[in-house]
Amino acid sequence: MTRNFIALLLGASALTACAAGPDYKAPATPATAAAPFIGAASPSANPAVTAAAAQDHWWTLYGDPLLDMLVSDALAANTDIRVAVARIERARASLRGAKSDRLPQTSLGASETYNRTSAAQSLPGLDRENWVFDSGLDISYEVDLFGRVKRGVEAARGDYAAAQADADGVRVAVIADTVRAYLDVTATSERLAVAQRTVGLLDQSIRITGARFEAGRSDRLDVIRVTTLRDQQKATIPALAADRDAALFRLATLTGRTPQQLPDTVRAATRTPQLSQPIPVGDGQALLARRPDVRAAERRLAADTARIGVATADLYPRISLGASVGSTALGGGNLFGGGPLNWVLGPLISWAFPNQEAIRARIGAAKADGDASLATFDGTVLQALEETERALSAYAHAIERAQTLSAARDEAARAARISLARQREGQIDFLTVLDAQRTLASAEADLATATRAVSFAQVDLFRALGGGWGQATA
């Protein structure tokens, strides 16, 4: 019996080559999607980037060991990454479950009961009350003739790969947010230093103006005006300090720490790291292969395509081979002897026919899901290209704005020095000096804000490029 059953299983396995539903083919992307980026096609248009291949571990381009440590901590302890990893494990478990459907299913059971039968049902010479011992082994195997199990495995494998890509996307976002928060800490520290330096210069102007007033060479109104300007500039310091604290607290959360656990070295960071080379961005083809959201969308399309096959297979008969071996004994009889032994062997065919409307409805729903996944993939491709081009443009214009504001700050500083010198010589009134100092303070603040925007634009570009710690295999 065993040899015949095994031979029947092997023969049935040979029939599972065909599978219902469409075979998956990776969708095509627009030919222009593989072209060089508009924002990087001409070095003169954006000299801060290069068409060289984008690299992983992009944050190391800043050459800041403290930043490297924070990114490593975020990858190891960030709670969003832990959630994404748990979802990978769930998808892996579902894949194992789908693969197990390709194997024979077995169940083992045993029971011991005390029964009393009616007089009409009792056999002569037997007690009406007895212990009944029952045991059995059931084996069943679905002959995957129309590929229902095969397509189910394909769908689960696609879901698993999509979960991996989703986790990669979370890592990219966490790395970018960590770098951005660190740059926010240092850039805000620099803005705070600018504000404090401006207040210090205005304090000096107050002392000079006060001395001139005491000497009768200046008006009381001049002292009031410069004091008002000093107080206005000083009022910006608490807001900047609050912004820096918020960035520090955000950095602590991203790295899996409480605010109290953030290292003192991070709190003391005041220098914003700068890139010493143009950002390598690659081209559109490499971008689409690297972006986790594109990979996740493609794998979900593969999974939904396989589910069409799962639904289609229900149109055809489902064939299972089964066997059952058991034994039932009364009282203390020999449970494993030849007398109580029973067994059953044979195929089981189930088929929802002729009313298959519910199955066809499920097929229609699966096809609609596949169409939606294809549209999602196409949209994700377009969005990836849009985000990258937008980030390239924003980065180029942020640099241009910062350069212009740097020149304006230099001119404002020169004007402030000249006006102060002329005011000492009595060539101009103090109102002109005050206006020059106000212009300088505004130019310093604008430049600090623009420099911070350049750092943020760099991070946004790296994030759009989809770079990370290394590419996961899907």
Side-chain angles (χ1 to χ4, degrees):
M1 178 189 70
T2 303
R3 288 197 301 269
N4 292 339
F5 185 62
I6 293 175
L8 192 58
L9 288 178
L10 294 175
S13 298
L15 299 176
T16 61
C18 64
D23 292 328
Y24 176 71
K25 294 181 180 179
T29 56
T32 53
F37 298 116
I38 296 174
S42 172
S44 59
N46 192 353
V49 301
T50 174
Q55 68 178 71
D56 296 329
H57 299 90
W58 53 265
W59 59 92
T60 60
L61 295 174
Y62 287 102
D64 190 323
L66 182 56
L67 176 59
D68 296 343
M69 181 202 73
L70 291 170
V71 172
S72 297
D73 291 347
L75 289 173
N78 182 267
T79 54
D80 290 337
I81 293 179
R82 288 164 54 193
V83 171
V85 171
R87 288 172 178 165
I88 290 177
E89 293 303 318
R90 187 181 188 281
R92 180 184 284 119
S94 297
L95 177 58
R96 289 201 307 269
K99 287 181 176 179
S100 70
D101 291 338
R102 298 185 297 192
L103 303 174
Q105 307 300 308
T106 60
S107 62
L108 182 65
S111 65
E112 177 183 3
T113 59
Y114 187 75
N115 296 336
R116 175 184 173 88
T117 58
S118 66
Q121 293 176 327
S122 298
L123 297 176
L126 295 179
D127 294 335
R128 293 175 60 190
E129 297 182 3
N130 284 289
W131 286 95
V132 178
F133 301 92
D134 192 18
S135 64
L137 171 65
D138 297 327
I139 303 175
S140 65
Y141 175 76
E142 180 177 348
V143 182
D144 196 22
L145 189 61
F146 300 102
R148 186 189 72 85
V149 175
K150 178 182 177 181
R151 295 301 194 198
V153 172
E154 291 177 2
R157 186 174 287 117
D159 290 337
Y160 174 51
Q164 289 179 308
D166 285 340
D168 290 350
V170 172
R171 292 186 180 98
V172 168
V174 167
I175 292 171
D177 288 345
T178 300
V179 176
R180 186 185 182 95
Y182 179 74
L183 294 178
D184 198 7
V185 169
T186 56
T188 304
S189 296
E190 292 181 349
R191 294 168 66 201
L192 192 58
V194 168
Q196 291 170 340
R197 186 166 61 250
T198 301
V199 170
L201 291 174
L202 291 174
D203 283 337
Q204 183 179 1
S205 295
I206 290 175
R207 289 193 296 271
I208 295 173
T209 307
R212 289 172 61 86
F213 171 72
E214 294 294 336
R217 299 174 59 189
S218 178
D219 192 279
R220 176 74 177 176
L221 184 59
D222 293 340
V223 178
I224 295 174
R225 284 171 174 168
V226 72
T227 303
T228 301
L229 179 58
R230 189 277 312 273
D231 291 342
Q232 288 174 339
Q233 293 299 314
K234 191 173 182 180
T236 65
I237 292 177
L240 291 173
D243 289 345
R244 187 175 188 275
D245 287 343
L248 285 168
F249 299 153
R250 176 63 178 155
L251 193 57
T253 300
L254 287 165
T255 55
R257 296 180 172 95
T258 64
Q260 292 83 357
Q261 293 174 322
L262 200 62
D264 292 337
T265 52
V266 178
R267 298 180 184 277
T270 57
R271 185 186 65 85
T272 300
Q274 303 295 325
L275 293 176
S276 60
Q277 65 182 69
I279 297 177
V281 298
D283 56 21
Q285 183 176 3
L287 171 74
L288 298 181
R290 186 174 57 249
R291 288 265 301 212
D293 54 345
V294 175
R295 290 188 282 120
E298 187 273 333
R299 287 291 83 200
R300 286 195 172 90
L301 175 59
D304 286 339
T305 302
R307 289 189 182 95
I308 298 174
V310 174
T312 304
D314 287 338
L315 289 173
Y316 308 106
R318 185 178 302 183
I319 302 174
S320 299
L321 304 178
S324 177
V325 180
S327 181
T328 303
L330 297 176
N334 184 6
L335 185 63
F336 301 102
L341 185 65
N342 60 76
W343 57 268
V344 177
L345 174 66
L348 173 64
I349 299 177
S350 60
W351 190 13
F353 186 82
N355 184 6
Q356 297 183 321
E357 186 58 31
I359 297 174
R360 297 189 184 278
R362 291 197 297 271
I363 295 173
K367 289 181 177 179
D369 288 341
D371 292 341
S373 292
L374 177 58
T376 299
F377 172 80
D378 291 339
T380 304
V381 168
L382 296 177
Q383 184 177 5
L385 296 170
E386 176 207 349
E387 288 179 358
T388 304
E389 293 287 7
R390 184 153 39 89
L392 283 166
S393 176
Y395 183 39
H397 288 93
I399 292 175
E400 182 180 1
R401 183 172 186 270
Q403 290 172 343
T404 302
L405 288 174
S406 177
R409 187 276 315 272
D410 293 342
E411 290 298 321
R414 181 170 176 267
R417 289 194 301 270
I418 293 174
S419 63
L420 188 60
R422 290 182 177 179
Q423 193 262 347
R424 288 196 188 101
E425 296 172 359
Q427 298 179 5
I428 59 175
D429 60 13
F430 183 76
L431 189 60
T432 302
V433 176
L434 185 65
D435 184 64
Q437 290 179 333
R438 182 184 293 109
T439 300
L440 176 59
S442 177
E444 290 275 12
D446 289 344
L447 178 58
T449 300
T451 303
R452 176 174 176 260
V454 170
S455 297
F456 285 1
Q458 291 170 353
V459 176
D460 291 341
L461 177 55
F462 283 124
R463 183 171 186 166
L465 292 172
W469 62 104
Q471 299 308 316
T473 55

